[in-house]
Amino acid sequence: MVIALLLLAFAGSSHSLWSQAAAPAPLRVQTPSAPAEPRGQLLLVLPFDNQLPQASLDWIGAAVPEVLNRRFASAGFLPISSSDRAYALDHLGLPHDFRPSHASTLRLAQAVDAEYVVLGTYRVEARPDGSHITAAARVLDVRNLKMSAPLEEQASLAHLADVLNSLAWRVTRQIAPAYPVAEQTFLSADAGLRLDVFEHYVRGIDAGSESADRVRHLREAVRLAPQYYPAWLALGQALFASQEYEQAANAFGHLTRTDPNALEADFYRGLAYFYTGKYLQAEDAFAFVSTRLPLPEVVNNQGVAAARRGKSGAPFFQQATTADPREGDYHFNLAIALARQNNAPGALLELDQAVKLRPQDAEAQAFGANLHNAAYLAALGRSAAQAPVAATTATPAASTASPAQGAAAEPNLPLERIKRSYNEAGFRQAAFAMEQMDATRRAAMPAAQRASLLVQNGDHYLNAGLLVEAEREYGQALTVNPASSPAHAGLAQIRERTGDRDAARAEAQRSLDLAPNVPAHLVLARLDLLTSQLPAAAREVQAALQIAPSDANARGLKQAIESRGQQVAQ
């Protein structure tokens, strides 16, 4: 089933331990026929070691996995989260700040099934023109037991984000030499990010979950950079952990729906609304997530929020039990929904499943005993005959109910159980599984149709400001169909946004040589306007309007050119 496919587990193969006799050697270069993309490869990034005794700069080492993981996710890897890394370290009995040897690194990689491990060092030195950072990364190929040569980047400390993004690009090319996205596109991902904002953000996410410094640093990061969405996500998580649900919902709400972390943000925003009794907003937040990634915990929560509003959650709970029949809470919730519909036999069947899966579930056992009581069944029948009413009272479930959850309409029905945890790795793997299904479906299509769908994906990412993802899709489209004019037009817009004007002009012209189109003409018009070549810019806009007379972007650019012309004349 589709839902089951979304829950694919990426089980790693067993690897032999690092041989002490094997000296580190460079990674073997892939052949030209190697895939252009590192699709779905599990990659573990370790914090980098500070080579100089500067405790005030240790935060940089913690920053490395944060930046690299975001870039690797954009590139198509499945980066292993810091929480999974910490869990593996605990499992191995290693401290979170351990200095990895070859053997311990391999043990950690095996514990999380990583196919590649990125580790490295950095040092910050004072120079006459300011502090300077040098960072070096190495890539361990776990399958082949090969270590790459160091990949080194250096710049002024103020450009730390550029150093890390460049390293991310070089590591990606080390693993997948044919990867088509340009380095400048990686650099543009954090363009303009101030060092102090980045430091506050990293110190916030690296602080302990109970630390007051965590919220303080993150608040300062979003104050200094209100559009830095990773900091809003981290702030929402910190406020949620301290049960400041209204403020958490507000923080999560700052992320746009096109942000790569929008699903995680809305999952927790739904919980935050739920715990403050805002069930309609909670249901909407869960619905946004479930329509894009219908995992059972999300669908279940959507059903719980609907039930709190007096609506039937049965369809959602049925979907959740189908997707994950081994989770007793979903059967328990479905039993409550069926009981509300006066379907006692169906409710008992679901409760039997819940108790089989969790024999110590006293609440489910008590509910089942009630469903065998004639007076209780009669009361259910009378309740089902009435119109649904808002939840008012219920028997609380201590392990699952929040004080702000409200209560069920029937006095003797227990509360539905909500799922509180967001499994980042599971969500990411499910999203990858959906992409794989789409790729399999596209593979059977004619090349032109396949390229067209890839261009549509690229346009979606481009409109959301996700340039790495957009360029990845356009590059795939050109691999499938080198004569795709829209793909070249998309690349022209990316080159324009990343400041490579010559490449932008070349891609736009290549696109127009293949077929007339509005985006390419507008790229050329904007480039001409930047250099005050107003007649040339006007000609490009006019060509665009001949193709699409009502295009809003072309009309707006025409007005800008005319306004600039009037200023020059004056």
Side-chain angles (χ1 to χ4, degrees):
M1 299 184 69
V2 172
I3 299 293
L5 287 172
L6 294 178
L7 299 173
L8 287 174
F10 291 82
S13 57
S14 59
H15 308 291
S16 58
L17 289 174
W18 184 274
S19 171
Q20 297 297 327
L27 271 172
R28 290 179 290 189
V29 177
Q30 298 183 25
T31 63
S33 62
E37 291 209 70
R39 304 301 291 164
Q41 293 171 325
L42 285 167
L43 191 150
L44 171 64
V45 182
L46 297 177
F48 279 20
D49 290 336
N50 187 356
Q51 289 187 311
L52 300 177
Q54 301 163 293
S56 63
L57 296 175
D58 284 347
W59 67 270
I60 294 175
V64 173
E66 168 63 23
V67 174
L68 268 60
N69 279 348
R70 283 194 278 126
R71 294 293 85 78
F72 293 148
S74 298
F77 288 108
L78 289 174
I80 294 166
S81 68
S82 58
S83 59
D84 286 339
R85 184 184 74 236
Y87 178 85
L89 289 172
D90 288 337
H91 179 73
L92 294 172
L94 297 170
H96 290 189
D97 59 349
F98 88 114
R99 297 294 185 266
S101 64
H102 289 160
S104 59
T105 297
L106 189 60
R107 288 174 58 206
L108 179 58
Q110 291 172 325
V112 294
D113 292 331
E115 297 168 74
Y116 294 93
V117 180
V118 180
L119 61 163
T121 61
Y122 69 95
R123 65 181 184 274
V124 178
E125 301 168 297
R127 296 187 180 181
D129 58 346
S131 297
H132 200 85
I133 183 169
T134 301
R138 303 183 77 182
V139 182
L140 169 63
D141 181 343
V142 178
R143 289 176 174 173
N144 297 314
L145 299 182
K146 300 292 183 181
M147 185 79 81
S148 77
L151 306 171
E152 187 171 285
E153 291 287 337
Q154 53 183 305
S156 70
L157 184 58
H159 295 106
L160 172 62
D162 288 347
V163 168
L164 299 183
N165 281 316
S166 289
L167 279 179
W169 182 79
R170 293 184 65 184
V171 169
T172 300
R173 292 293 294 267
Q174 176 80 32
I175 297 172
Y179 183 66
V181 178
E183 181 179 9
Q184 188 59 38
T185 308
F186 268 56
L187 293 176
S188 69
D190 287 317
L193 179 61
R194 289 167 36 179
L195 182 64
D196 56 346
V197 173
F198 190 45
E199 180 177 355
H200 278 298
Y201 168 65
V202 173
R203 288 188 182 277
I205 61 175
D206 197 44
S209 59
E210 303 299 326
S211 171
D213 288 342
R214 182 183 183 193
V215 171
R216 179 177 61 82
H217 280 298
L218 293 171
R219 285 195 187 279
E220 184 63 10
V222 298
R223 186 189 70 81
L224 294 171
Q227 303 304 313
Y228 189 48
Y229 298 122
W232 281 113
L233 176 66
L235 177 59
Q237 292 169 330
L239 293 168
F240 185 90
S242 61
Q243 299 185 8
E244 299 177 62
Y245 297 125
E246 289 190 6
Q247 295 184 53
N250 178 270
F252 290 129
H254 279 79
L255 277 76
T256 65
R257 288 291 176 90
T258 56
D259 189 272
N261 296 310
L263 298 182
E264 180 176 2
D266 263 49
F267 180 85
Y268 281 112
R269 189 159 70 116
L271 286 177
Y273 279 138
F274 187 84
Y275 292 155
T276 54
K278 298 178 179 178
Y279 302 127
L280 176 59
Q281 293 93 325
E283 185 179 356
D284 287 344
F286 291 132
F288 168 73
V289 182
S290 68
T291 54
R292 288 154 180 79
L293 208 57
L295 295 181
E297 55 263 52
V298 183
V299 175
N300 173 79
N301 288 3
Q302 188 178 354
V304 174
R308 292 294 189 276
R309 299 178 53 229
K311 298 168 58 180
S312 174
F316 301 107
F317 302 139
Q318 184 65 67
Q319 184 178 346
T321 57
T322 301
D324 186 3
R326 294 176 296 179
E327 175 50 65
D329 286 345
Y330 303 151
H331 292 283
F332 180 83
N333 289 348
L334 181 55
I336 296 172
L338 293 174
R340 283 205 175 98
Q341 298 171 357
N342 199 27
N343 182 355
L348 283 168
L349 285 175
E350 296 300 327
L351 281 175
D352 286 343
Q353 287 297 317
V355 173
K356 286 178 181 178
L357 292 165
R358 195 177 297 166
Q360 305 303 318
D361 192 337
E363 186 181 29
Q365 293 173 357
F367 185 28
N370 282 339
L371 289 178
H372 284 96
N373 183 292
Y376 187 87
L377 293 177
L380 278 181
R382 290 192 297 271
S383 178
Q386 300 172 357
V389 294
T392 55
T393 59
T395 302
S399 62
T400 58
S402 167
Q405 282 182 1
E410 298 81 358
N412 292 323
L413 281 178
L415 286 169
E416 296 88 352
R417 297 170 178 175
I418 197 161
K419 290 298 182 183
R420 290 180 172 78
S421 61
Y422 177 91
N423 185 332
E424 180 184 352
F427 272 56
R428 192 168 60 247
Q429 290 171 359
F432 171 72
M434 292 181 68
E435 290 183 9
Q436 290 296 91
M437 288 189 291
D438 285 341
T440 301
R441 178 174 55 85
R442 288 196 302 264
M445 297 178 179
Q449 185 180 0
R450 200 183 330 158
S452 177
L453 286 176
L454 289 166
V455 167
Q456 290 178 25
N457 291 341
D459 291 343
H460 171 77
Y461 287 127
L462 182 64
N463 293 333
L466 304 176
L467 302 189
V468 174
E469 292 88 339
E471 184 168 343
R472 186 185 73 196
E473 297 298 310
Y474 293 138
Q476 285 188 359
L478 290 172
T479 299
V480 174
N481 179 17
S484 172
S485 173
H488 282 293
L491 287 179
Q493 294 174 79
I494 292 175
R495 300 290 176 259
E496 179 190 8
R497 293 193 191 186
T498 59
D500 192 342
R501 298 179 185 178
D502 291 340
R505 187 176 291 278
E507 288 290 350
Q509 193 58 59
R510 192 173 296 119
S511 174
L512 293 172
D513 290 343
L514 292 167
N517 65 88
V518 171
H521 277 302
L522 295 186
V523 168
L524 294 176
R526 287 190 294 267
L527 293 173
D528 288 335
L529 181 59
L530 283 173
T531 56
S532 298
Q533 300 179 51
L534 301 186
R539 286 194 298 272
E540 296 296 345
V541 169
Q542 186 58 36
L545 289 171
Q546 288 177 352
I547 298 171
S550 61
D551 186 87
N553 291 327
R555 287 180 173 275
L557 189 53
K558 180 181 179 181
Q559 292 178 358
I561 294 170
E562 291 173 348
S563 177
R564 177 73 66 83
Q566 292 172 1
Q567 293 173 6
V568 171
Q570 293 173 357

